[in-house]
Amino acid sequence: MRFPDGFVWGAATAAYQIEGAARDDGRGPSIWDTFSRTPGKVAAGHTGDVACDHYHRYPEDVALMASLGLRAYRFSVSWPRVQPDGSGPANPRGLDFYDRLVDALLAAGIDPLVTLYHWDLPQSLEDNGGWPARDTAHRFADYATAVYRRLGDRVRGWTTLNEPWCAAYLGYGSGVHAPGRQDAAAAFRSVHHLLLAHGLAATALRAGGAGSVAITLNPAAVLPADPASEADAHAVRVVDGLHNRVFLDPLLAGGYPPDVLSHIARFTDLSHVQEGDEKTIGAAIDMLGVNYYSPTYVAGRPGAPGGGAYPGTEDIHFPPPSGPVTGMGWQIEPSALTTLLVRLHTDYPDTPLMITENGAAFDDTGPDHDRISYLDGHLRAVHAAISRGADVRGYLVWSLLDNFEWHDGYAKRFGIIHVDYETQRRTPKHSAMWYRDVIASGSLPA
Ligand code: FCB
């Protein structure tokens, strides 16, 4: 089972999850610093203050990547390192870190893939309104420009945002992510301003000559609990709208889907969507990043008492997983990834895809065969999608290292490399060795 020539093999991380050094070299506080220090928000009171100490240990981490034969490494830049309070002149010492990292990667023959926003909004910008405020989108474009000026001579692959769905719906709707607000209107305003931020930054990066401009979404593979139920089919349409089409259509199909706008009209009058915004959001991209972990099963339950996992899903039930799950309790179903990739390719043709995250947390009490089988199954699913015509250019494992898993803190381990948080010792797991062999052969056993 051979992957196409030039298929990109790599791994991914994010700044707040691995860097630590939360106060070094002029870094300002982000919403995740505030959130993780707020009692009851993150498991066991964990914070990203030290994390994997990657800020100081990046040479060792790059050496580990090289030893596995990674061709690409996706990392994110911490906005509050670059602009401690989210605006104004760039902090050179913050940018120096990424400068050193990029040089180390290039020296090791690893392609640096930069994500500009993986959820660590400078706290000052949240204090000024956060993503529900339009100005934040403009601040993001300035920040993107500052990073591009420093790294654009060496970095080809630029991704604006990681999973704006999480930033908006979990950050401002359900409140399980920073900044922890629970306000449906704020969540939908955030969706728009995140997309606008992407469009403004994509335009600026393109004008500066960026090689490749992308955004990473976590598109849901939405499936009906009961394939014969009409109510469930309706639930699929609603969740596909709120989770997928509200992002994909303005990015890739010219504007917001009318059914989604009318669905959310009970939460917001949409006055924050201004003339010309959809055109800005639709700025051409070179790649769509896809993060996939688990399918989303839904059932309709019209008239049932409210609740809803996130705003707009009040009439929808998300049944608990059936079948095997990961250590997160997430259902393992690789075939849903094939379906999702083929659907993206069919509905949004001409945009190459890249799996920018896929992986699993497990308890890792011995050799991590369960992670190997998860990765193997999902790589086969990617291969199947390619055979059916989907233009998938690469695969990045989440994650290179065990790290700070947001509201689960350090309790959940996604790494192919184990991190002992007491000593910061790194130990490649069996899955890392397995992945090294897959990369070396560019194929899986048939
Ligand atoms: C994704 C995030 C990533 C990681 C994985 C498990 O939603 O982008 O940072 O936490 O989930």
Side-chain angles (χ1 to χ4, degrees):
M1 203 175 260
R2 173 153 285 288
F3 284 79
D5 289 342
F7 192 77
V8 175
W9 298 97
T13 63
Y16 189 71
Q17 296 180 275
I18 63 163
E19 285 178 0
R23 292 180 190 80
D24 287 40
D25 297 328
R27 177 186 177 280
S30 80
I31 55 175
W32 271 96
D33 293 290
T34 308
F35 191 73
S36 64
R37 286 189 193 123
T38 308
K41 298 298 186 191
V42 169
H46 293 165
T47 73
D49 283 1
V50 178
C52 307
D53 194 30
H54 172 75
Y55 192 79
H56 299 110
R57 292 168 196 266
Y58 74 90
E60 178 187 352
D61 293 338
V62 172
L64 280 165
M65 293 177 218
S67 74
L68 301 181
L70 300 193
R71 309 277 160 71
Y73 172 55
R74 172 180 182 241
F75 62 95
S76 79
V77 172
S78 159
W79 187 347
R81 276 194 204 290
V82 175
Q83 288 177 308
D85 64 5
S87 60
N91 164 31
R93 288 183 300 159
L95 282 169
D96 286 347
F97 168 66
Y98 298 104
D99 209 79
R100 295 192 292 273
L101 174 61
V102 163
D103 284 345
L105 289 165
L106 291 172
I110 300 166
D111 192 17
L113 304 176
V114 169
T115 297
L116 287 160
Y117 186 72
H118 202 125
W119 307 348
D120 44 358
L121 185 72
Q123 181 61 44
S124 313
L125 293 185
E126 173 59 21
D127 298 342
N128 290 336
W131 284 112
R134 188 177 177 92
D135 187 56
T136 304
H138 292 282
R139 298 285 68 75
F140 179 73
D142 287 354
Y143 150 72
T145 305
V147 179
Y148 183 76
R149 265 197 209 119
R150 185 68 177 272
L151 304 178
D153 58 336
R154 283 153 294 152
V155 172
R156 228 189 78 75
W158 292 86
T159 294
T160 54
L161 307 178
N162 178 70
E163 299 190 4
W165 180 90
C166 291
Y169 291 100
L170 304 185
Y172 294 89
S174 69
V176 300
H177 277 191
R181 287 205 239 165
Q182 291 178 309
D183 174 345
F188 290 116
R189 292 173 68 93
S190 297
V191 167
H192 181 65
H193 295 140
L194 282 153
L195 283 168
L196 184 63
H198 157 80
L200 293 167
T203 305
L205 292 167
R206 176 87 61 215
S212 166
V213 178
I215 183 170
T216 280
L217 302 179
N218 56 325
V222 194
L223 300 162
D226 173 2
S229 155
E230 253 179 57
D232 292 5
H234 177 72
V236 168
R237 177 91 184 140
V238 169
V239 172
D240 183 54
L242 288 168
H243 197 126
N244 295 331
R245 289 180 290 114
V246 75
F247 295 103
L248 290 163
D249 284 14
L251 287 166
L252 297 171
Y256 284 114
D259 65 308
V260 179
L261 294 183
S262 62
H263 185 77
I264 66 177
R266 71 192 127 128
F267 300 107
T268 161
D269 62 8
L270 297 171
S271 56
H272 57 280
V273 180
Q274 295 181 11
E275 186 76 37
D277 285 358
E278 283 161 296
K279 189 159 184 289
T280 305
I281 295 167
I285 53 173
D286 303 295
M287 182 93 73
L288 175 67
V290 174
N291 292 353
Y292 173 84
Y293 291 92
S294 184
T296 304
Y297 279 92
V298 298
R301 49 166 198 187
Y310 57 91
T313 62
E314 291 73 17
D315 291 343
I316 288 157
H317 174 56
F318 294 85
S322 58
V325 295
T326 68
M328 299 294 282
W330 296 350
Q331 187 161 333
I332 303 174
E333 196 172 320
S335 63
L337 174 58
T338 307
T339 310
L340 174 66
L341 292 170
V342 171
R343 182 270 174 113
L344 290 171
H345 176 70
T346 309
D347 289 357
Y348 306 93
D350 309 324
T351 305
L353 305 169
M354 159 114 61
I355 307 298
T356 40
E357 287 180 26
N358 175 244
F362 286 107
D363 285 342
D364 288 349
T365 42
D368 61 336
H369 295 302
D370 35 17
R371 181 172 293 101
I372 293 175
S373 117
Y374 180 98
L375 298 175
D376 178 87
H378 286 79
L379 273 169
R380 285 172 200 276
V382 172
H383 192 275
I386 295 172
S387 312
R388 288 170 56 188
D391 184 6
V392 187
R393 302 285 175 91
Y395 178 90
L396 311 177
V397 169
W398 185 271
S399 181
L400 179 73
L401 303 169
D402 288 336
N403 61 48
F404 175 84
E405 175 47 31
W406 309 114
H407 58 277
D408 288 306
Y410 298 98
K412 301 295 179 192
R413 294 179 174 271
F414 274 90
I416 55 172
I417 296 175
H418 177 270
V419 176
D420 177 334
Y421 295 112
E422 297 293 315
T423 61
Q424 291 295 347
R425 192 189 146 102
R426 277 82 161 126
T427 311
K429 301 178 190 176
H430 279 60
S431 55
M433 298 302 139
W434 171 87
Y435 193 43
R436 178 197 61 193
D437 294 346
V438 171
I439 296 173
S441 71
S443 64
L444 294 166

